[in-house]
Amino acid sequence: MIPRFTPVIVFVGEGVFKTEMPENVTKSVRSMMKYIRSFNTVIFNEQQLQTFITDIEQSRFKPGFATDFAHVQSLKKQINKKKKLLDEYHCS
């Protein structure tokens, strides 16, 4: 059997949901942890988990101004690309 991942989405801040959200969408870390702990099926063994953690830690960008700046530039590029597509769509 292939392991099944369940997405979890956590919103932080003072936002208010305008519609009913599914149980995997929460507004607090506490609610997220409660949701995650509601599952009890083991998907990965300890060795696999440690390998994942190591891989993530080694591939992470170094926190700091340069990383933040690169992230903002990447977002701006994506936004401009989407704006261009929308402009092309509306002009056709």
Side-chain angles (χ1 to χ4, degrees):
M1 183 173 145
I2 298 173
R4 183 173 181 264
F5 287 91
T6 302
V8 180
I9 301 163
V10 182
F11 289 91
V12 194
E14 301 299 319
V16 177
F17 294 138
K18 294 180 181 176
T19 60
E20 191 68 30
M21 292 291 125
E23 62 182 340
N24 67 319
V25 178
T26 68
K27 292 190 339 181
S28 71
V29 173
R30 181 176 290 162
S31 296
M32 173 197 66
M33 294 307 296
K34 181 179 177 186
Y35 177 73
I36 290 171
R37 288 183 178 127
S38 72
F39 296 92
N40 58 15
T41 303
V42 176
I43 297 177
F44 305 111
N45 65 39
E46 191 63 33
Q47 182 180 358
Q48 290 170 313
L49 185 58
Q50 287 305 316
T51 300
F52 296 147
I53 292 170
T54 300
D55 289 349
I56 290 168
E57 288 173 344
Q58 290 177 351
S59 63
R60 245 184 113 186
F61 290 112
K62 183 179 177 185
F65 177 78
T67 300
D68 292 348
F69 183 78
H71 177 65
V72 169
Q73 295 305 309
S74 173
L75 291 174
K76 286 180 179 179
K77 187 176 179 181
Q78 290 177 37
I79 290 168
N80 287 335
K81 190 175 182 180
K82 288 179 183 178
K83 283 182 180 178
K84 184 178 176 183
L85 286 172
L86 283 172
D87 288 345
E88 290 173 2
Y89 175 77
H90 289 294
C91 291
S92 328

